[in-house]
Amino acid sequence: MIEILNPTELARAKDAGALVADILQTLKSRSAVGTNLLDIDRWAQDMIVEAGAESCYVDYEPSFGRGPFGHYICTAVNDAVLHGLPFDYTLADGDLLSLDLAVSKGGVAADSAISFVVGGSKPPESIAMISATERALSAGIAAAGPGARVGDISHAIGSVLSEAGYSINTEFGGHGIGSTMHQDPHVSNTGRPGRGYKLRPGLLLALEPWVMADTDELVTDADGWTLRSATGCRTAHSEHTIAITDDGAEILTLPR
Ligand code: MG
Ligand code: MG
């Protein structure tokens, strides 16, 4: 299903997007050496509830997970990259942490992810990988607008990731979003320009480039959710929800 939002729904989407961004920035500022992933999950829960929003994750039970998820945020450390189930783990200096959060407010969902290094050390490989996903996300957003096609976004994202030296996994990518978190169209992180669904004003997309340092193969953790790199290498993930406007695209998940 592809949804085109009306102006009332778009206003709600902006509200949801700003909330997601604010929560992620707060959680980033609190994620220090010694912070437990379960603390981050509890803080996310508190902020979602306080804002009168609903978690898109806690009851989520898709075919690819061992549902329901039962937590409020995805926390992926080092070789973990997607669907990271929070567990009793204390962050250490140099850990590469990805936080992925989706909430629904007023019946509209927003979805965003950030990656960063915990503590004072800045491993160059981790910084480069995070930067590549952020640049790919910017390129994808720049390629989005009315009349552009999903393949234009995929091509823009994939070009940045490939030029940075990463191979691209095509199992998981971006997606439409609206009254529910995951909708059509699928937005692969690589593709051919001029192909696929033609974008229209009012369409919401979650774009989410992610990479693994030396592989494109995933393995599922024993927890039934967390996806890790098959080689144990580090990974990074950046995501924004955007709205297609009359003359381009607007990022909804920027901090206020
Ligand atoms: Mg997400
Ligand atoms: Mg997403």
Side-chain angles (χ1 to χ4, degrees), residues 28 31-35 40 77 91-98 116-123 234:
K28 180 181 179 180
S31 297
V33 174
T35 302
I40 295 173
V77 181
L91 292 169
D93 187 55
D95 274 347
L96 198 168
L97 176 62
S98 299
F116 54 93
V117 177
V118 175
S121 65
K122 299 288 171 218
R234 294 197 168 195

Side-chain angles (χ1 to χ4, degrees), residues 127-137 157 160-161 164 166 209 211:
I127 300 300
M129 198 161 29
I130 294 166
S131 165
T133 62
E134 291 174 348
R135 285 183 285 115
L137 180 55
I157 289 173
V160 172
L161 298 180
Y166 301 103
V211 290

Side-chain angles (χ1 to χ4, degrees), residues 136-159:
L137 180 55
S138 296
I141 294 166
R149 292 183 182 269
V150 165
D152 298 328
I153 297 174
S154 298
H155 177 73
I157 289 173
S159 297

Side-chain angles (χ1 to χ4, degrees), residues 57 100-102 111-113 175 181-182 206 208 237 239:
Y57 292 168
D100 190 348
L101 178 70
D111 187 3
S112 180
H175 49 92
M181 171 172 56
H182 286 144
E208 47 183 313
H237 181 201
E239 179 177 22

